[in-house]
Amino acid sequence: MSAQIISGTEIAKTIREELTREVAELKDLHGVVPGLVTILVGEDPASQSYVAAKNKTAKNLGIHSEQVTLPAETAEQDLLDLIHKYNSDPKINGILVQLPLPRHIDEAKILFAIDPEKDVDGFHPVNVGKMVLGEQCFLPCTPHGILELLQRTGVETSGAEVVIVGRSNIVGKPIANLMLQKRDSGNATVTLCHTRTKDMAFHTRRADILIVAAGVANMITADMVKAGVVVIDVGVNRIGVTDAGKAKLAGDVAFDEVKEIAAAITPVPGGVGPMTITMLMKNTVQAAKQQANIA
Ligand code: GUN
């Protein structure tokens, strides 16, 4: 039997409707308009399209949105100066520096410079530390989106064998951490696989919930999963160009064959991607409320 397709597009739409109402209420009752700035350094086409989507979504929700695009050769100090400027700009509640950055810029230094109160990506060490301790903080957008997808689809995570492929700071490490915590969409037994894992299929075949964020097109094939697994595919791989001249995308999971075995699966595109952007909006609204002392 073919799997249930978990539509991130539909779930994200529901959350955006909730956020649109919340943004309107913030303005009407408190005169507060959440503000987001996105900063892109360089001309990576994937990053350009992510940042454009983030700004468009913000505008659609009634969030004040500013977009700064800097040349690839921008000096690290100039980027730091820009971040300091936005740290003290009262119109801006959230600052997002799109990753990856050019190699001459120290990513850790840049993320550390963002005011933790405006760190809507949840990448600042203060927010990462709070997340690991299970304290209230900005959760990183992709892991947060995955938790919402699982929760709103009614997937039971408590006691489940969750296998994650990929150990990035943006997805693998934080989602592993969140899913083992004593919390909604948590309480799982977590295995984190990576490029040095000896027998990947041994682990993936044990998964009740398989989360793949490896950045390798179609690496998870049907023989690597068990029947009834729930599959969350975080991969967005550009594998060519469509007839319409758009980027042709593939996930990290061989969707057509795995969907015949899985109980539920996210598609690419239309799965995790729209959720990541939506969680950024949710964090921006949360930042605006915190900075205006609104509960
Ligand atoms: N690059 C890939 N994913 C992300 C993300 O969630 N935030 C930022 N800032 N950069 C990214």
Side-chain angles (χ1 to χ4, degrees):
M1 205 181 71
S2 206
Q4 173 195 355
I5 309 300
I6 303 174
S7 172
T9 306
E10 283 304 311
I11 295 173
K13 189 164 162 255
T14 305
I15 301 173
R16 285 178 200 176
E17 283 163 6
E18 294 164 11
L19 285 172
T20 304
R21 283 194 291 276
E22 197 174 352
V23 170
E25 211 175 276
L26 273 178
K27 190 172 178 192
D28 292 346
L29 298 183
H30 302 280
V32 168
V33 178
L36 171 72
V37 62
T38 60
I39 302 170
L40 172 63
V41 186
E43 285 161 13
D44 175 62
S47 292
Q48 281 174 336
S49 82
Y50 294 145
V51 166
K54 288 170 186 179
N55 282 283
K56 187 170 163 212
T57 307
K59 290 206 171 93
N60 286 343
L61 297 188
I63 292 173
H64 167 74
S65 155
E66 295 182 23
Q67 183 173 352
V68 181
T69 307
L70 301 170
E73 58 277 9
T74 298
E76 185 179 271
Q77 190 56 49
D78 290 343
L79 183 55
L80 287 170
D81 290 346
L82 188 69
I83 290 168
H84 292 139
K85 185 185 99 159
Y86 282 114
N87 277 345
S88 48
D89 182 342
K91 289 193 306 303
I92 295 299
N93 306 108
I95 302 171
L96 177 137
V97 178
Q98 186 66 26
L99 303 178
L101 287 165
R103 289 162 68 98
H104 68 279
I105 297 180
D106 181 345
E107 185 180 295
K109 205 165 164 184
I110 297 301
L111 297 179
F112 205 92
I114 297 172
D115 180 346
E117 294 290 318
K118 296 193 175 186
D119 170 38
V120 285
D121 252 329
F123 292 166
H124 190 286
V126 165
N127 284 316
V128 176
K130 285 184 175 176
M131 181 201 69
V132 171
L133 295 172
E135 287 180 25
Q136 142 82 22
C137 62
F138 295 114
L139 294 182
C141 301
T142 301
H144 195 179
I146 294 170
L147 296 183
E148 288 279 343
L149 275 181
L150 293 171
Q151 199 164 16
R152 291 182 187 240
T153 312
V155 176
E156 180 60 83
T157 60
S158 183
E161 293 287 341
V162 173
V163 178
I164 297 159
V165 182
R167 59 177 155 183
S168 70
N169 289 340
I170 296 181
V171 186
K173 282 190 225 163
I175 193 65
N177 210 281
L178 288 164
M179 295 209 67
L180 60 80
Q181 291 183 9
K182 280 189 187 171
R183 50 169 292 148
D184 286 347
S185 300
N187 289 311
T189 302
V190 175
T191 303
L192 183 49
C193 301
H194 46 76
T195 41
R196 301 289 173 92
T197 295
K198 280 200 181 123
D199 184 351
M200 184 75 74
F202 166 79
H203 295 285
T204 57
R205 274 191 214 114
R206 287 176 41 253
D208 300 318
I209 301 171
L210 178 62
I211 301 173
V212 193
V216 180
N218 300 318
M219 75 170 280
I220 302 294
T221 46
D223 57 312
M224 295 173 76
V225 301
K226 78 173 176 193
V229 63
V230 173
V231 181
I232 305 290
D233 188 352
V234 185
V236 183
N237 305 289
R238 297 177 160 231
I239 55 164
V241 182
T242 65
D243 292 342
K246 287 190 159 185
K248 196 170 176 180
L249 303 179
D252 290 352
V253 178
F255 181 83
D256 288 338
E257 56 182 78
V258 173
K259 83 174 189 321
E260 297 306 321
I261 299 167
I265 186 167
T266 58
V268 177
V272 174
M275 294 299 291
T276 296
I277 297 176
T278 301
M279 292 306 116
L280 174 68
M281 303 303 135
K282 203 174 165 98
N283 283 352
T284 304
V285 172
Q286 183 190 329
K289 283 164 74 177
Q290 280 172 202
Q291 285 159 42
N293 291 316
I294 300 166

